[in-house]
Amino acid sequence: MSAHEDHLLPIAAHEVGHALAFRAAGLKVRKLSIERGIFGGLKGGVTRIGDYDSTTMSKRQLKGLLIGMLAGIEAEVRWLRLHCSLSASESRDIM
């Protein structure tokens, strides 16, 4: 695996973390991708859910939205700990 591909894996784990939490809350995930910037470098990941109005969302969906927002960084940190020997103190620096 190239160094460039190695860099993609934590980003992918981060976006999958968002998507799994959103789906568990009953929210529809419309897009999950890693996007390139205008000069070819990485812009970052994107996870998009359906169009929801927070005033009409169920309590479960609202909780899922909030948890889903936090789930990305948690998934990324767990991936880094597992695959890159990231220590607990180093992972706190990320968060």
Side-chain angles (χ1 to χ4, degrees):
M1 188 171 292
S2 73
H4 175 71
E5 290 169 326
D6 283 347
H7 184 66
L8 295 175
L9 294 174
I11 296 170
H14 180 106
E15 297 309 322
V16 168
H18 288 308
L20 289 173
F22 291 145
R23 291 284 304 181
L27 300 169
K28 183 174 182 173
V29 176
R30 295 205 180 267
K31 179 180 181 178
L32 181 94
S33 67
I34 298 173
E35 299 182 349
R36 296 198 176 281
I38 58 173
F39 299 109
L42 290 177
K43 181 178 174 184
V46 174
T47 302
R48 296 198 198 285
I49 60 171
D51 294 329
Y52 294 95
D53 179 354
S54 62
T55 62
T56 59
M57 291 173 82
S58 70
K59 186 175 180 179
R60 177 175 179 246
Q61 287 175 323
L62 280 171
K63 281 179 153 179
L65 182 62
L66 295 173
I67 292 168
M69 289 178 188
L70 297 171
I73 192 64
E74 180 65 22
E76 182 178 346
V77 166
R78 286 179 183 226
W79 190 93
L80 289 168
R81 281 186 190 157
L82 184 63
H83 297 285
C84 298
S85 301
L86 186 70
S87 71
S89 63
E90 290 170 320
S91 65
R92 282 191 296 275
D93 290 342
I94 292 172
M95 298 175 108

